[in-house]
Amino acid sequence: ARAGRRRRREPVLDSLNAGFGVVHPRSQAREHIEIVHFDHDAAIMAKMPTAYDLGAQRQALGQQAIIDWMGDAGWLKKDSAQYRGFVYLGDALWFRGRITRKYVDPDGEHCLDIETACMNQRGQNVMPGMSTVALPSREKGDWPVDRRMTGRR
């Protein structure tokens, strides 16, 4: 660059911690890369339309929906999810589930397998998954939470 001519400063990766930090485009402050999840300008710098969610937080919201449905007497034994799309700040989400199997597992617990979905307002399933829930049995008098609290199998 010629003397006296100002060069526009472009946002850059933090050279000391490449891949772990960014220089914020407005404040020029060094920030952790996670800032793209809650700061619009940082997300734009990362070539995203706006800030977007953390996948683990989205999965925790889905887990909470299942836990609310099964009640305090049930137990969420397994949960898996695939992060298939971005959820941008302002998106609306619906968590849905469909029971695919009802059975007694090898531990003697009464279980349901649930196919889960996290749908956005565009009709996209941004987080398909599977969960297994253990529910109480009135006829056996078996309560999954009690089993875990007392160590009884």
Side-chain angles (χ1 to χ4, degrees):
R2 292 187 335 198
R5 189 176 193 197
R6 290 194 120 182
R7 226 176 121 225
R8 185 170 169 245
R9 187 171 178 177
E10 294 292 327
V12 295
L13 281 175
D14 177 351
S15 60
L16 296 176
N17 299 300
F20 296 105
V22 297
V23 174
H24 192 275
R26 243 184 321 151
S27 70
Q28 298 301 309
R30 189 178 301 182
E31 299 282 359
H32 289 282
I33 193 69
E34 290 85 3
I35 195 170
V36 297
H37 293 288
F38 53 85
D39 183 274
H40 175 75
D41 293 329
I44 294 293
M45 183 181 71
K47 309 280 190 264
M48 299 300 292
T50 190
Y52 53 98
D53 76 337
L54 291 155
Q57 181 183 28
R58 185 186 333 162
Q59 187 171 0
L61 291 170
Q63 290 167 341
Q64 189 62 53
I66 292 170
I67 291 167
D68 290 346
W69 172 80
M70 72 183 187
D72 293 338
W75 191 264
L76 180 59
K77 289 186 79 160
K78 293 181 193 173
D79 182 70
S80 65
Q82 299 173 5
Y83 308 146
R84 294 269 185 94
F86 289 97
V87 173
Y88 300 106
L89 295 187
D91 279 358
L93 299 176
W94 290 266
F95 292 93
R96 297 187 174 140
R98 183 174 65 86
I99 297 169
T100 58
R101 185 174 166 217
K102 180 180 174 181
Y103 59 99
V104 177
D105 74 1
D107 296 329
E109 292 190 299
H110 295 258
C111 295
L112 299 174
D113 286 345
I114 304 168
E115 181 182 285
T116 59
C118 176
M119 307 299 293
N120 66 16
Q121 75 273 17
R122 292 176 288 281
Q124 301 164 322
N125 186 358
V126 293
M127 191 180 71
M130 289 295 296
S131 296
T132 300
V133 171
L135 295 175
S137 168
R138 288 189 197 124
E139 59 194 40
K140 279 186 66 182
D142 186 40
W143 301 87
V145 175
D146 289 347
R147 279 180 163 220
R148 283 154 180 86
M149 298 301 286
T150 62
R152 180 178 56 85
R153 289 281 167 196

